[in-house]
Amino acid sequence: MNPTARRNARQYALQALYQWQLAGTPIKEIELEFLVHHIRGKTDLDYFKELIHAIPGNCEELDNRMKPFLSRPIHELDPIELAILRLGTYELSNRLDVPYRVAINEALELTKKFGSVEGFKFVNGILDQVARTLRMDEIKAYKKS
């Protein structure tokens, strides 16, 4: 696993998910568009494909995992921040091979790059709470080391 290729996969997946959320374009069409026109350089294509197919298919579950920690309804969230929260929540709940600190940090970097100026604070607060519900044993083990 190449960290740069994985980071690029997340970035392209975020852009694809954002497009899916706003335009409602079928994921297969978005996937083809990204593979042909957008993806450049080292990118973990398998991870990109996993993210863009799994997240839309599990939106309700992912949204339900973060809803208890939101201060406003999901439909009022900034679309980029929503896509990042779904991506981060997906990694925390379904990709145990990705350390919780990496999942959160990658989400924060995406928010700093694509989100609102202070959006990373909001995303950090939500994903930290999601991680506490899903990865408490991992968090405790990390704090002991």
Side-chain angles (χ1 to χ4, degrees):
M1 194 269 312
N2 179 320
T4 300
R6 183 64 65 91
R7 175 171 286 143
N8 289 340
R10 286 184 187 96
Q11 180 175 311
Y12 290 124
L14 169 63
Q15 293 168 330
L17 292 168
Y18 178 76
Q19 181 177 334
W20 170 77
Q21 285 175 177
L22 289 185
T25 307
I27 286 296
K28 285 286 192 188
E29 288 180 31
I30 294 172
E31 177 183 11
L32 181 61
E33 176 188 331
F34 272 77
L35 292 173
V36 172
H37 299 291
H38 300 295
I39 295 178
R40 302 283 181 261
K42 292 181 181 179
T43 301
D44 183 337
L45 292 177
D46 290 335
Y47 202 61
F48 165 77
K49 291 175 185 179
E50 175 186 339
L51 293 172
I52 67 166
H53 288 281
I55 292 170
N58 293 298
C59 268
E60 186 175 347
E61 175 190 332
L62 298 171
D63 291 354
N64 286 336
R65 289 195 185 279
M66 65 177 128
K67 273 183 188 176
F69 312 114
L70 297 175
S71 58
R72 57 190 180 269
I74 285 215
H75 70 274
E76 292 181 10
L77 296 180
D78 175 89
I80 276 288
E81 291 167 11
L82 175 57
I84 292 168
L85 285 169
R86 285 175 171 161
L87 196 155
T89 300
Y90 174 80
E91 286 192 318
L92 289 169
S93 60
N94 296 291
R95 292 303 303 243
L96 300 180
D97 60 313
V98 176
Y100 83 96
R101 294 181 71 233
V102 171
I104 292 173
N105 185 62
E106 291 292 321
L108 295 180
E109 292 304 316
L110 287 169
T111 308
K112 288 174 185 176
K113 186 170 184 174
F114 296 103
S116 63
V117 174
E118 298 291 316
F120 72 94
K121 294 177 183 177
F122 173 73
V123 168
N124 186 51
I126 302 303
L127 290 180
D128 184 60
Q129 292 177 81
V130 170
R132 289 172 197 234
T133 64
L134 297 172
R135 304 269 193 108
M136 187 47 79
D137 291 340
E138 182 184 348
I139 292 170
K140 286 179 182 175
Y142 174 77
K143 290 186 178 185
K144 285 182 181 178
S145 61

